Amino acid sequence: QAVSDPAPFAVPAGAQLLVSIHLPGPVEAAPVHAHALRTSWISPPGSGDRTADTGAKAFTGTLKTWPFLTGVDVSSPSPRSARGSGTGAVVTLGDSITDGVGSTADADNRWPDVLSRRLLGADRPPVQSVLNHGISANRIVTDRYLGDGVSRITGGVSAQNRLERDVLSQPGVRTVVVFEGINDLRAGTSPEEVAAGLRAVAERARA
């Protein structure tokens, strides 16, 4: 995992953020978010480093996934500002429903997007950012990815096993909304095991 240097510029609430990545050579395997529901644009192989381009001319291909980039940290307003009194971020931890599968592509109509817009428009509580950590096919009890190297299974490890990475270690998080368990039941996990997994997540989140 690599982290870039800070980039000092303002990002308006709810704005689209464009991140350009240059790959100097072929890549045989990459981390990927399978259901981005956002179109990404790519330049042809061998066209050079286009990360400084501000126009669209060089980007002739498209992707419907998000490769490589796993997140962007954004500093919130000062606690002294009228709309930045430090209520913290909200993480939505879920499966394909949270990921947005079935919602309109390129429209930001996943339910966490709707939640974000409602929070931005509310006077109380003050502005809260929403981190969508939904992964399609994810489960609360069992892992889809078994840690055996390169895999085409994109459902990831269970919500319990990714809780530290995706929730507890995220800066500024004070609230987590969990929407998991459907895929476990479909895979044959008992309701009792699913309930126990949800309780375990709740206990760790409150600790």
Side-chain angles (χ1 to χ4, degrees):
Q1 182 175 347
V3 179
S4 73
D5 294 329
F9 64 93
V11 180
Q16 296 292 328
L17 186 64
L18 176 65
V19 178
S20 296
I21 299 173
H22 171 58
L23 304 175
V27 175
E28 295 183 1
V32 62
H33 191 99
H35 296 283
L37 292 172
R38 267 285 166 189
T39 301
S40 295
W41 298 87
I42 56 176
S43 58
S47 60
D49 185 352
R50 318 299 302 196
T51 54
D53 286 20
T54 57
K57 185 177 180 180
F59 304 97
T60 56
T62 60
L63 286 175
K64 298 299 182 181
T65 60
W66 277 332
F68 301 106
L69 187 68
T70 59
V72 177
D73 290 338
V74 181
S75 297
S76 63
S78 166
R80 291 186 293 274
S81 68
R83 295 276 289 170
S85 60
T87 54
V90 179
V91 173
T92 58
L93 186 70
D95 49 35
S96 60
I97 298 173
T98 301
D99 204 4
V101 172
S103 65
T104 304
D106 294 321
D108 292 334
N109 276 333
R110 314 165 190 85
W111 74 258
D113 298 323
V114 176
L115 173 63
S116 178
R117 288 192 288 268
R118 291 188 66 177
L119 290 174
L120 285 172
D123 291 328
R124 293 182 180 276
V127 173
Q128 292 176 290
S129 57
V130 176
L131 288 67
N132 185 347
H133 282 183
I135 299 178
S136 295
N138 197 232
R139 299 173 183 171
I140 190 76
V141 176
T142 57
D143 296 332
R144 297 301 308 277
Y145 172 65
L146 301 179
D148 55 353
V150 177
S151 173
R152 292 183 179 273
I153 298 174
T154 57
V157 297
S158 72
Q160 294 184 77
N161 286 336
R162 66 187 181 99
L163 185 68
E164 178 66 36
R165 179 195 69 194
D166 289 350
V167 179
L168 303 181
S169 66
Q170 295 296 316
V173 170
R174 295 190 182 180
T175 304
V176 56
V177 180
V178 182
F179 193 169
E180 292 258 14
I182 295 174
N183 292 322
D184 295 85
L185 295 173
R186 293 178 64 186
T189 303
S190 71
E192 292 76 17
E193 290 177 292
V194 172
L198 290 168
R199 282 194 296 269
V201 168
E203 290 169 1
R204 289 174 60 193
R206 292 181 178 131

